[in-house]
Amino acid sequence: MDSLWPDDLKGPAPESAALEWLTTSGLLDPSGLEQAEPLIADTGRSLLLTLNQIGVLKDGDLAGACSHVTGHPVLRDFVPVPDTLPDDINPGFLRDVQGLLLGPFGPLAAVNPLDARLLAGIEFALGFVPEIVIMEAGDWARTYARFYPDTVRLDGFGQEDHDALAIELADQDRDAPIVRQVAAWLSEAADRGASDVHFDTRRSALEVQYRIDGILQPLSREPKASAASVIARIKVIADLDLGERNRSQDGRATIAVRGRRLDIRVSIIPTIDGESAVIRLLDRPDGLLTLEGLGFEGPVAYGLEDICERRHGMFVVAGPTGSGKTTTLYSCLERLKGRGLKILSVEDPVEYHFDHVSQVQISEKAGRSFAGALRAFLRHDPDVILVGEIRDPETAMVAVQAALSGHLVFATLHAIDAARIRTRLTDMGVEPFKLDACLVGSMAQRLVRLLCPHCRQDSPPTDQEKAVFEDHGLPVPAWIYRPSGCGECRNEGYAGRTALAEFAYGSGAPDKAGSLILQALALVSDGRTSTAEIAGLVG
C-alpha cells in the first residue's frame, strides 16, 4: 500500500535541511559531524539524534531546527502518564528513536520527527502516522522515564578517546539492572544540578546521596548485597581496576546527558565496610566561565578585569574547599583567550579542559608535583601560569619567583579571608619584601545558599540577630526571612547559591566596606538568605 508518511517527511532531504539551518545559524560546528558519522552505523540512529547525544547539538537547538523544517510545535507542557500504554510498540524501540505515543492513538512526541526509522515503526504498528509534536531531548527523557521506568539509559564516552567513540553504558550485558540504575542516578544528578554523587558502603546498606548547593541530600538506601556491583559499574565507567579493592583509585570519564557533555571525576576508597565512591559532575554550561556569568559586580568585577590586563605579578584567590576558587581563575583564563598569550596550568585535578591552555595534571606516580611543573614551565616561555593550589613552601616560592621574573601567575590558597593570604605565604617561607614586589591582588570568596523565594517565611529578628547587625554598624531589618520548604525546592528551603567575594589590590587588606561579613548581612537584609546560612562568617 502507499506510505502514510506526511509528504514533507519523506526521504533524507528534511534532515539535510535541518543540518543546513543549524550550520548557517551558527548553532552547529561542522566539525561535530566528523565525530557523529562513525557512530551512526553502529547505533542505527539518525545523525541529528547522534549529534545531540554526544553533546555537540543542544536540546533547544535540535528542537528549533526540527520545528523550523516541519512546522510542528514544540511541546513544553507536563504530560501525565496515560492509563494504558500501547502494547504493540516496544518501549526499547521508542527509547532508541526517542519517541513517545502520548495516548493510544497519539499524538506522537519525537525529539527528531525527521527520523525515518521512527516514522516507519509507528506507521507499521498503528497503520497511520498520528499528529506529531516535538519534545526537547531532556523533556523527552524525563517523560519516558515516567512512562517506562525500567528502561533508563545513559550514553557515555571512554576515557582516552571519548571524542571519537561512544559507549552505550546501559547496553552492557553484565548486570543490566545495576547498569540502568547507575545510569538513572547520574541522569537525575545532572538534572538536579548536583555537584557530586556519593556511594557510601555501610555495615548493612549502600547509601546514595547527592550534594546539591553544598549540602548532602539522601537519595536512596540500597541493600548491602548490591554495593559491590554498583562500585564495579562505576569502575567500568571510569576505566579503573576492577580487581583492586584494597587501595584508593581515581579516574575520569565523559558522559552525555540531555544533549550536553559532562566530565566526571571518580574517587574510590576502601573502607572497613567495603569500597565507597564519589562521582563529581563537572558541568560547564554556557556563560559559567565568564566574569559576568559568575555574578561578580562592583569593585570585585573591576578588580578582576584589571588583573586580567596585567602582564606580570601574582594574583591569589583564597577560600575553603568548594568555594569556587578555581572556577573564578578559570574565568580569568577564559577572558585571556585570543590575546596571543602562552598559558600554562598545573592542577590536581584538571577540572575543565581549555583549547587555548596547556594543562598539566599532577601525578605522584609520574613524579609530577606542583613545584616541579612550575620549574619546567619557566623554561617553556609562558606568559600566564595557573597554579591549581599552593600547598607547600616549595610551590609558594617557585610561584613567587615566576611572578617576579615577568609572568602573570594565578593561584589558589586555603585561607579564611583575603587579609590572611599574606600571612599564609610568609608562614610558608616567602620573604615579605618579595610578596610586596609581586602580589598584585588577592581575593577571598564563599558560596552562600539562597532562600527559596516560593516558601521563605518572615519573622522578627531575635535579640542575637539584632546584636550582629548593630555590632557591624548596620540598621536592623524589620523582618528576617527563614527557610521553610516546598515542592519547588524539594522541601530544602533553599534554591541555588551566590558568591560572596572581597578583593584587595597588592598585599594589603580589602576595604572593610566590601568585606564578606557585610556582604552576607546585606543578603539577609534583602531576604535572599538566612542568618543560619551565614553563621560561619559572622560568628
Side-chain angles (χ1 to χ4, degrees):
M1 71 177 188
D2 294 335
S3 172
L4 299 176
W5 295 10
D7 290 338
D8 61 338
L9 297 182
K10 293 180 180 179
E15 185 161 289
S16 298
L19 290 169
E20 181 180 359
W21 182 83
L22 287 165
T23 303
T24 56
S25 301
L27 301 175
L28 175 64
D29 185 345
S31 64
L33 299 175
E34 299 176 4
Q35 300 177 36
E37 287 175 348
L39 307 174
I40 296 173
D42 296 332
T43 63
R45 293 182 184 144
S46 71
L47 179 56
L48 288 173
L49 284 186
T50 302
L51 288 168
N52 176 253
Q53 289 167 341
I54 66 174
V56 171
L57 180 58
K58 297 177 184 176
D59 289 3
D61 295 342
L62 172 56
C66 291
S67 181
H68 173 78
V69 171
T70 66
H72 296 315
V74 179
L75 179 65
R76 303 189 186 279
D77 298 328
F78 177 84
V79 179
V81 179
D83 294 333
T84 59
L85 295 170
D87 296 330
D88 48 356
I89 298 181
N90 188 333
F93 167 76
L94 294 174
R95 180 193 64 194
D96 289 342
V97 296
Q98 294 196 11
L100 271 176
L101 275 176
L102 304 183
F105 303 104
L108 170 64
V111 175
N112 176 18
L114 308 174
D115 188 344
R117 184 180 168 205
L118 164 66
L119 298 174
I122 295 297
E123 180 184 5
F124 179 80
L126 301 182
F128 66 97
V129 176
E131 174 191 358
I132 297 175
V133 295
I134 299 169
M135 292 187 81
E136 290 193 7
D139 294 336
W140 171 86
R142 286 184 284 273
T143 305
Y144 180 89
R146 290 189 290 105
F147 279 38
Y148 304 103
D150 295 330
T151 56
V152 179
R153 111 187 281 147
L154 180 73
D155 294 336
F157 301 88
Q159 181 179 8
E160 298 298 327
D161 54 353
H162 62 264
D163 287 331
L165 177 63
I167 303 170
E168 297 291 346
L169 296 182
D171 285 345
Q172 304 289 336
D173 292 334
R174 186 178 58 80
D175 211 359
I178 293 294
V179 171
R180 289 197 299 269
Q181 185 60 73
V182 173
W185 282 329
L186 294 181
S187 294
E188 184 177 352
D191 284 344
R192 293 177 58 180
S195 61
D196 303 85
V197 187
H198 289 243
F199 300 86
D200 295 313
T201 304
R202 306 300 188 192
R203 181 176 300 178
S204 58
L206 173 69
E207 293 182 357
V208 184
Q209 302 178 91
Y210 291 162
R211 186 177 295 279
I212 300 176
D213 293 337
I215 304 299
L216 280 177
Q217 300 180 13
L219 171 70
S220 178
R221 188 175 177 86
E222 302 294 323
K224 175 68 176 288
S226 67
S229 296
V230 169
I231 299 298
R233 182 64 198 148
I234 295 170
K235 288 181 178 180
V236 169
I237 294 173
D239 194 23
L240 299 178
D241 187 347
L242 288 171
E244 179 57 67
R245 296 185 178 87
N246 295 315
R247 65 177 179 87
S248 301
Q249 295 191 71
D250 297 298
R252 302 181 64 89
T254 302
I255 60 177
V257 179
R258 314 299 187 235
R260 71 182 192 271
R261 291 187 182 186
L262 291 179
D263 288 330
I264 64 171
R265 195 173 74 228
V266 177
S267 172
I268 295 180
I269 61 172
T271 72
I272 60 173
D273 296 313
E275 290 179 293
S276 290
V278 175
I279 299 177
R280 169 152 291 187
L281 305 177
L282 301 171
D283 194 4
R284 184 179 173 178
D286 293 341
L288 173 64
L289 296 183
T290 65
L291 299 179
E292 297 82 3
L294 294 177
F296 292 123
E297 300 175 346
V300 174
Y302 298 139
L304 288 171
E305 291 277 6
D306 185 32
I307 294 297
C308 290
E309 297 299 324
R310 305 292 181 103
R311 286 296 173 262
H312 60 82
M314 185 163 72
F315 177 66
V316 181
V317 180
T321 300
S323 59
K325 302 185 297 295
T326 302
T327 301
T328 295
L329 293 185
Y330 278 162
S331 70
C332 293
L333 296 188
E334 192 77 353
R335 180 57 61 98
L336 297 174
K337 186 176 182 178
R339 298 190 184 184
L341 300 173
K342 176 76 171 184
I343 305 176
L344 304 175
S345 80
V346 54
E347 305 168 57
D348 184 24
V350 174
E351 295 192 0
Y352 296 111
H353 296 272
F354 294 89
D355 294 334
H356 66 296
V357 181
S358 298
Q359 297 170 273
V360 174
Q361 168 77 49
I362 291 301
S363 172
E364 293 183 4
K365 284 184 178 180
R368 288 195 300 270
S369 65
F370 278 106
L374 281 175
R375 288 195 181 91
F377 285 0
L378 295 179
R379 301 187 295 272
H380 212 65
D381 190 28
D383 297 295
V384 180
I385 296 173
L386 169 66
V387 184
E389 183 182 345
I390 296 179
R391 298 176 178 174
D392 53 71
E394 187 180 12
T395 303
M397 286 184 274
V398 178
V400 167
Q401 186 60 42
L404 289 172
S405 58
H407 306 91
L408 181 59
V409 178
F410 294 105
T412 72
L413 180 72
H414 286 289
I416 298 175
D417 52 36
R420 289 175 171 80
I421 289 176
R422 179 186 174 88
T423 302
R424 287 276 290 123
L425 291 173
T426 54
D427 287 345
M428 290 183 181
V430 179
E431 295 166 294
F433 75 90
K434 290 185 177 180
L435 278 180
D436 292 336
C438 78
L439 197 60
V440 295
S442 59
M443 192 174 104
Q445 67 182 67
R446 297 286 195 282
L447 294 179
V448 175
R449 289 189 299 167
L450 298 175
L451 288 167
C452 174
H454 301 281
C455 64
R456 62 180 185 174
Q457 296 183 347
D458 57 345
S459 64
T462 65
D463 291 341
Q464 184 179 3
E465 289 169 333
K466 292 178 181 178
V468 170
F469 280 90
E470 292 169 350
D471 289 345
H472 290 88
L474 297 175
V476 178
W479 302 98
I480 297 288
Y481 285 89
R482 309 186 192 283
S484 176
C486 64
E488 293 290 332
C489 62
R490 299 179 185 270
N491 292 317
E492 292 297 324
Y494 295 91
R497 291 190 290 180
T498 191
L500 302 179
E502 58 183 15
F503 181 91
Y505 278 109
S507 57
D511 184 352
K512 289 185 178 180
S515 70
L516 292 174
I517 294 174
L518 294 184
Q519 291 180 58
L521 291 175
L523 285 178
V524 174
S525 295
D526 293 342
R528 299 180 64 196
T529 194
S530 67
T531 53
E533 181 64 14
I534 66 166
L537 288 175
V538 300

